[in-house]
């Protein structure tokens, strides 16, 4: 240091003074920044559990990428921009086809940059500078190794929050525009870390027209008029004045593939309602989580419980009751329900009933339950008050078969060009004739609409080939169904009192001793 001509005392003093000045600067700047944030900014907080959180990030990525001033730390992810993607909102344009015979549906990937946790960003919006800060918080119930809740803070300089309100209104407007003409489906999400259950958006699909639902016209008109009357504003007041719970329930029953779920989705699109789908067979679903999920439902929506007969939710039998059957005790014990923890249902029968129409149940919602076997349901579950209207779905009649044919092949000129139908595609008059021939080629009351639709889709551009293949396809299918019937009859040998319900043999509890020994 002597060689450089530096005095040690002077250098030490300079370092100490510099340290003090830097410390004072940091302290004063943080104090000034805190004071500005507290007294001279308007702020709004968005929780990650709110749907607005997702809408804001979509708006930020699609609308404000160039206006977003990212810092040196940010998140990057690879996203696919698929033509015709329902959630992205991009229309299926000419670039999807590329040319005749060159269908290109491969996703086009791009890099998307979004704010990272713990960093600050600035956004220029309508002449105002808005600061974006995303943070993670730990709730009182949050424990070790549990996911943290994310929060976005939006701050604008000035005490007037009008610009923030305008920004959020634009975010919501863009979200509504993306969802226009679509049916939004939510699924229940149960966390394994002790977090409360919630509804999470699963998908958005185009609204399905009621005309595409193949169902008896009288039943279709009945359920449409019933829901139309139910959702009227005056109906809620009418229920309240008479002390009636403002709820409505429907049961759709019939063989698999007859259109029960299709009707539910078409009703949601027809009345512009969101669908909240829930499976009672979910292993993590309990009485408390089921009640919480029903409490989180909006006032106007459709709650869809599919295949309620397949769940393990049954009325608990009285263990003190004495069996009144002549079945031997050894055989009776073999058919007794298992009480092992693995087979014990997570949701009790009383818990399901309380969630549907208990004292804390949400009013205003529409409950739709579907089942393949109505006879397996407990009468208490489908009594009037819980199920107000039951709609039966049967195997396809001739009218249904012809309607399926017309629904697939009766396309206008614009659709024919877009779908690149062959030049020899029959005109409308010929399609009507082919529909009658197709209906006569298939037997009534044997096949489900889903099976017939599968046959038509194999010849979706050639209705003549579909009619020609109908007879051979029907003989093959009937052969398969005949094998199933023979097997079912063989399994019921040695059992007295067998009754046939919907083509399936059900044995009564009447057994022969010799039959038991032989089995």
């Amino acid at each position: 240091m002597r060689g450089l001509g530096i005095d040690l005392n002077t250098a030490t003093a300079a370092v100490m003074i510099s340290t003090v000045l830097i410390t004072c600067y940091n302290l004063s700047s943080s104090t000034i920044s805190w004071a500005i944030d507290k007294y001279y900014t308007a702020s709004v907080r968005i929780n990650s559990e709110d749907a607005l959180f997702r809408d804001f990030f979509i708006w930020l990525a699609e609308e404000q990428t160039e206006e977003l001033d990212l810092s040196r730390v940010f998140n990057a992810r690879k996203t696919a921009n698929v033509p015709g993607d329902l959630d992205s909102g991009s229309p299926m344009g000419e670039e999807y086809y590329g040319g005749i015979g060159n269908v290109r549906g491969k996703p086009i990937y791009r890099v998307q940059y979004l704010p990272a946790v713990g960093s600050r960003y600035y956004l220029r919006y309508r002449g105002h500078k808005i600061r974006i800060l995303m943070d993670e918080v730990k709730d009182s119930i949050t424990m070790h190794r549990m996911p943290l809740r994310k929060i976005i803070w939006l701050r604008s300089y000035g005490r007037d929050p009008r610009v923030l309100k305008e920004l959020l209104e634009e975010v919501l407007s863009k979200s509504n525009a993306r969802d226009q003409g679509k049916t939004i489906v939510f699924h229940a999400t149960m966390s394994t870390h002790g977090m409360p259950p919630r509804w999470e958006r699963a998908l958005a699909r185009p609204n399905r027209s009621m005309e595409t639902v193949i169902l008896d016209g009288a039943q279709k008109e009945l359920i449409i008029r019933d829901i139309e009357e139910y959702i009227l504003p005056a109906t809620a007041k009418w229920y309240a004045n008479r002390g009636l719970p403002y709820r409505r329930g429907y049961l759709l029953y019939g063989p698999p593939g007859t259109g029960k779920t299709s009707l539910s989705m078409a009703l949601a699109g027809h009345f512009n309602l969101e669908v909240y789908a829930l499976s009672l067979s979910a292993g993590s679903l309990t009485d408390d989580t089921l009640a919480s999920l029903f409490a989180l439902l909006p006032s106007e929506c459709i709650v869809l419980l599919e295949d309620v007969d397949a769940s393990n939710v049954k009325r608990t039998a009285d263990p003190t009751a004495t069996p009144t059957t002549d079945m031997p005790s050894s055989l009776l014990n073999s058919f007794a329900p298992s009480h092992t923890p693995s087979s014990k249902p997570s949701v009790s029968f009383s818990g399901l009933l309380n969630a549907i129409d208990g004292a804390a149940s949400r009013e205003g919602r529409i409950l739709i339950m579907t089942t393949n076997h109505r006879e397996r349901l407990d009468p208490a579950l489908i009594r009037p008050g819980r199920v107000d209207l039951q709609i039966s779905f049967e195997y396809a009649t001739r009218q249904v078969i012809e309607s399926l044919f017309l629904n697939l092949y009766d396309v206008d000129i614009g659709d024919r060009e877009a779908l690149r139908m062959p030049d020899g595609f029959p005109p409308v008059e010929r399609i009507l004739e082919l529909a009658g021939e197709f209906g006569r080629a298939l037997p009534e009351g044997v096949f489900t609409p889903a099976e017939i639709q599968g046959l038509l889709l194999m010849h979706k551009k050639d209705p003549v080939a579909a009619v020609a293949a109908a007879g051979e396809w029907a003989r093959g299918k009937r052969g398969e169904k005949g094998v199933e019937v023979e097997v079912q009859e063989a399994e019921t040998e040695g059992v007295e009192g067998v009754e046939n319900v919907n083509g399936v043999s059900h044995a009564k509890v009447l057994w022969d001793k010799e039959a038991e020994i032989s089995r």
Side-chain angles (χ1 to χ4, degrees):
M1 296 184 69
R2 285 196 301 269
L4 296 175
I6 299 176
D7 183 46
L8 181 60
N9 295 330
T10 303
T12 303
V15 170
M16 294 180 63
I17 294 174
S18 301
T19 303
V20 171
L21 292 176
I22 293 174
T23 304
C24 292
Y25 172 78
N26 291 335
L27 181 61
S28 60
S29 62
S30 61
T31 303
I32 294 173
S33 177
W34 172 84
I36 292 176
D37 290 344
K38 186 174 179 61
Y39 298 106
Y40 194 67
T41 59
S43 60
V44 61
R45 185 179 71 172
I46 306 176
N47 197 316
S48 60
E49 298 176 355
D50 194 284
L52 190 61
F53 186 91
R54 172 185 176 275
D55 294 337
F56 175 77
F57 269 102
I58 294 178
W59 173 83
L60 196 65
E62 294 182 353
E63 305 290 338
Q64 300 293 329
T65 304
E66 298 180 356
E67 301 295 334
L68 183 63
D69 182 16
L70 294 172
S71 64
R72 292 179 300 172
V73 181
F74 50 87
N75 284 336
R77 65 177 183 178
K78 179 182 178 181
T79 61
N81 186 17
V82 183
D85 186 15
L86 298 182
D87 283 328
S88 66
S90 58
M92 185 179 294
E94 293 295 333
E95 68 275 9
Y96 177 78
Y97 295 101
I100 299 177
N102 184 23
V103 179
R104 300 180 335 193
K106 184 178 180 180
I108 302 174
Y109 293 99
R110 59 189 177 90
V111 180
Q112 188 179 75
Y113 301 100
L114 293 173
V117 175
S119 299
R120 297 184 178 185
Y121 308 88
Y122 293 94
L123 174 67
R124 290 286 181 181
Y125 180 76
R126 297 184 181 180
H128 295 270
K129 192 174 184 179
I130 298 176
R131 188 171 63 187
I132 303 174
L133 173 62
M134 189 166 70
D135 199 2
E136 289 181 337
V137 296
K138 182 180 294 187
D139 296 330
S140 58
I141 62 173
T142 304
M143 300 171 61
H144 181 59
R145 299 183 63 182
M146 290 180 58
L148 300 178
R149 184 162 52 93
K150 293 182 180 180
I151 288 179
I152 287 182
W153 286 96
L154 302 179
R155 286 193 173 96
S156 64
Y157 294 102
R159 301 178 64 88
D160 188 3
R162 180 172 50 188
V163 63
L164 296 178
K165 294 181 179 180
E166 293 176 355
L167 186 149
L168 295 181
E169 289 292 338
E170 181 178 337
V171 169
L172 188 59
S173 176
K174 295 289 185 180
S175 175
N176 294 335
R178 284 193 304 270
D179 296 338
Q180 189 68 27
K182 297 177 183 177
T183 301
I184 312 301
V185 181
F186 292 83
H187 285 175
T189 301
M190 273 74 68
S191 175
T192 58
H193 302 283
M195 299 290 288
R198 68 181 187 275
W199 294 101
E200 192 172 88
R201 175 168 170 155
L203 56 92
R205 59 176 62 177
N207 290 340
R208 178 168 181 171
S209 173
M210 289 296 299
E211 297 178 356
T212 63
V213 178
I214 308 302
L215 182 65
D216 179 68
Q219 292 195 93
K220 187 190 300 186
E221 187 68 21
L222 178 62
I223 191 172
I224 290 177
R225 293 197 175 204
D226 192 79
I227 297 179
E228 280 181 351
E229 183 178 351
Y230 173 74
I231 63 178
L232 289 175
T235 305
K237 184 178 180 181
W238 187 89
Y239 273 76
N241 292 338
R242 287 155 180 79
L244 300 175
Y246 183 52
R247 291 185 288 265
R248 203 71 177 160
Y250 303 93
L251 177 67
L252 311 182
Y253 66 94
T258 50
K260 300 182 291 294
T261 303
S262 299
L263 177 61
S264 304
M265 300 303 297
L267 289 172
H270 183 76
F271 294 103
N272 196 24
L273 296 173
E274 296 175 339
V275 177
Y276 290 78
L278 179 63
S279 175
L280 298 177
S281 303
S284 56
L285 192 65
T286 63
D287 290 350
D288 293 337
T289 56
L290 182 63
S292 300
L293 288 171
F294 269 73
L296 293 174
L297 292 172
S299 58
E300 295 183 359
C301 67
I302 290 180
V303 184
L304 182 59
L305 301 181
E306 291 193 280
D307 299 328
V308 290
D309 60 292
S311 64
N312 293 325
V313 182
K314 300 288 189 298
R315 189 196 297 263
T316 304
D318 186 1
T320 62
T322 302
T324 58
T325 176
D326 296 333
M327 182 186 296
S329 59
S330 60
L331 192 60
L332 182 63
N333 292 334
S334 65
F335 280 87
S338 175
H339 295 285
T340 59
S342 59
S343 62
K344 184 178 179 180
S346 300
V347 179
S348 64
F349 187 73
S350 61
L352 175 60
L353 299 185
N354 289 331
I356 292 176
D357 63 352
S361 179
R362 173 77 67 178
E363 293 194 351
R365 54 99 183 119
I366 297 174
L367 175 66
I368 297 181
M369 295 187 290
T370 68
T371 177
N372 299 332
H373 305 280
R374 184 181 59 167
E375 68 278 359
R376 297 182 184 177
L377 300 181
D378 194 291
L381 180 62
I382 58 176
R383 68 161 176 81
R386 294 192 177 108
V387 173
D388 304 288
L389 183 62
Q390 300 187 19
I391 302 295
S392 173
F393 288 77
E394 305 293 342
Y395 287 101
T397 62
R398 178 165 297 177
Q399 180 182 1
V400 170
I401 295 172
E402 294 179 1
S403 299
L404 287 169
F405 190 92
L406 292 174
N407 183 52
L408 185 66
Y409 294 115
D410 188 11
V411 294
D412 55 23
I413 298 178
D415 291 338
R416 293 185 185 186
E417 294 178 355
L419 297 174
R420 307 198 184 281
M421 292 294 189
D423 296 336
F425 192 83
V428 177
E429 295 78 9
R430 179 56 179 159
I431 292 294
L432 294 175
E433 297 176 1
L434 292 173
E437 297 177 10
F438 186 76
R440 291 187 293 271
L442 297 179
E444 294 185 276
V446 177
F447 305 112
T448 65
E451 291 175 323
I452 299 174
Q453 191 173 23
L455 167 64
L456 295 174
L457 288 176
M458 290 190 296
H459 310 279
K460 57 180 176 294
K461 294 185 179 182
D462 193 350
V464 178
V467 175
E472 185 65 26
W473 178 86
R475 284 189 291 271
K477 282 291 184 180
R478 294 187 72 170
E480 295 176 5
K481 292 179 180 290
V483 172
E484 294 176 359
V485 173
E486 292 176 1
V487 171
Q488 290 170 358
E489 293 177 353
E491 290 177 349
T492 58
E493 291 181 359
V495 183
E496 297 181 9
V498 176
E499 61 179 358
N500 191 278
V501 180
N502 291 336
V504 180
S505 298
H506 297 271
K508 295 180 180 178
V509 188
L510 296 173
W511 290 76
D512 186 17
K513 184 67 176 178
E514 295 181 0
E516 176 202 348
I517 295 174
S518 64
R519 294 172 78 86

